[in-house]
Amino acid sequence: MATAAADEVQRAADALRQGRLVVFPTETVYGLGAHALDAEAVRRIFAAKGRPADNPLIIHVTDAAAAKRLTRHWPEAADRLAEAFWPGPLTLVLPKAEHVPDVTTGGLDSVAVRVPAHPLARRLLEAAGVPVAAPSANRSGRPSPTRVQDARADLGDQVAVYLDGGPTQVGLESTVVDLRGERPAILRPGGVARAAIEAVVGPLGAGDPARSPGTRYRHYAPRTPVRMVAPEGLAAAVEDALHQGPVAVIASDENAPPPGEGLHVEVIGRRDDVDAWAHGLFALLRDLDDGTYGAILVETPSDHGVGEALLDRLRRAADGP
Ligand code: TXA
Ligand code: MG
């Protein structure tokens, strides 16, 4: 982890300052970075991903003070959440400062900011000395990359530098929290669990989906159809799906069916180990999406902790192309 040579980081930082694109690891997923205050550079992100122009980007910075400078209002809850979870998988949405280009925020008057924890991301941000806008480094609609090769498969030579930090630790994107309302509200569940946020700022408000453009789009979907199946229904669902051809299953230690003719089984972890599920899920969805299987069945994960985010991503993946 974080073994990239100093000159690689320097090369990536130079590319960012020159308005080019860099793929880098964060503790959640790999990001596709560009100079956040350079509108031309940010446009390259939207083009490379095929991302709708009204889906705003998260700006990555080295610390809370740098985040604050991108906003025009910084409530006390922002201080408390930053203190508790930064650096880490939490994104805060606040009224945007004038100098943040509209293209970066998808035309919104708000800005999303995050201080990532991954040592390579931190070295890159420090060397670049500019705020870095970075969505997940996948083609729009595909599962987020948790390994550098996944980003490369989606984005190829549109990127000036790929920094390899090995597989990401969390495996799911950051939790996006809107701090503009009366109470903080989750716009996208992610790597910091709801209960952990409530422990810091008290009861949360209802997230208004209209305020989170990203949630309007289909996401996280491999090409192979994905279905979530309750643990007790797995055996029957597998049998049923096998009539249509080979089947892959992602299931817990406790509920994984035995492998069989036409059936590939991936055991992802204990049912209550939602962190292990988050860590492995996107990579498995990509690996199993090589055309071998007619369907990917996934045991419905537990909803505790980051399980809320797992359920959210799998529901979107299962929506179908
Ligand atoms: O963990 C992560 O958050 C990763 C790493 C690279 O940091 N990034 C990531 O970015 O997942 P992206 O672009 O794939 O997802 C950003 C989400 C989208 O749902 C977007 O709509 C939402 O954050 N978002 C960004 N700015 C926003 C804003 N101003 N208001 C509301 N939602 C916003
Ligand atoms: Mg994304």
Side-chain angles (χ1 to χ4, degrees), residues 24 26-32 49 51 54-60 89-91 93-94 104-105 108-114 116 134-138 144 172-176 178 180 187-188 211-215 217 219-220 313:
F24 64 99
T26 81
E27 71 281 14
T28 59
V29 300
Y30 276 77
L32 172 62
K49 279 183 64 94
R51 181 178 176 106
D54 65 353
N55 193 0
L57 306 178
I58 296 171
I59 303 185
H60 299 67
L90 178 75
T91 294
V93 174
L94 292 153
T104 308
T105 64
L108 297 178
D109 187 38
S110 58
V111 63
V113 287
R114 161 162 128 79
S136 49
N138 49 282
S144 293
L172 274 179
E173 304 86 344
S174 62
T175 304
V176 179
D178 188 352
R180 290 167 299 161
L187 297 179
R188 177 182 72 179
R211 289 193 138 184
S212 187
T215 58
Y217 302 104
H219 258 104
Y220 314 107
R313 305 305 189 270

